[in-house]
Amino acid sequence: MTTALRIALYQPDIAGNVGAVMRTCACLGIALDLIEPMGFQWDDKRVARAAMDYIDHVALTRHADWDAFAGQATGRLVLLTTRGATPLHDFAFRPDDVLLFGRESAGVPESVHDRADARVVIPMAPALRSMNLSVSAAIVAAEALRQTGGWPG
């Protein structure tokens, strides 16, 4: 069963990260939106290797670009960013939030920042830049599911 909570990846660069996020989404019953263009070919075997046999168990939607995604998005858009205003532990998630993660190499452009309803940061040790995309997605999804009572099973 899929919750209303969604994860959206904005123009992801690394096939293995997408595969790992797909596996996380499948296991947690969270739908996944991929906003193209991506930095790799969709048939890249690294996606399948990371997603393993979970790939058929994720509710996946691919969007041709940001405008296509934004035109269909429902719920509150929560951008996870190193420039976030609210620490993860202080943010109140809703069951229909869309958790948006930027490109591994560049994040998201200002126009996407401006469109977000909230900007959240995962607190980290000083002087460190960012976590891996798939790890960040899992951390945030777990906190959102905890707060909203959306854990599967």
Side-chain angles (χ1 to χ4, degrees), residues 78-93 119-124 140 143 147:
V78 180
L79 176 63
L80 281 296
T81 173
T82 56
R83 297 179 3 203
T86 307
L88 176 65
H89 58 275
D90 288 338
F91 188 74
F93 288 95
R119 289 159 207 81
V120 175
V121 63
I122 300 171
M124 295 181 291
V140 176
E143 177 61 12
Q147 286 187 21

Side-chain angles (χ1 to χ4, degrees), residues 39-108:
F40 55 91
Q41 294 296 319
W42 178 244
D43 62 356
D44 191 312
K45 59 185 162 192
R46 291 171 291 189
V47 174
R49 186 180 310 127
M52 297 178 57
D53 56 344
Y54 296 79
I55 201 163
D56 294 329
H57 300 280
V58 64
L60 174 68
T61 305
R62 291 173 58 193
H63 304 274
D65 56 28
W66 170 254
D67 291 335
F69 168 78
Q72 296 177 8
T74 60
R76 187 172 58 164
L77 192 59
V78 180
L79 176 63
L80 281 296
T81 173
T82 56
R83 297 179 3 203
T86 307
L88 176 65
H89 58 275
D90 288 338
F91 188 74
F93 288 95
R94 298 178 188 161
D96 65 341
D97 281 342
V98 177
L99 311 177
L100 176 63
F101 296 84
R103 295 178 68 180
E104 295 94 324
S105 63
V108 299

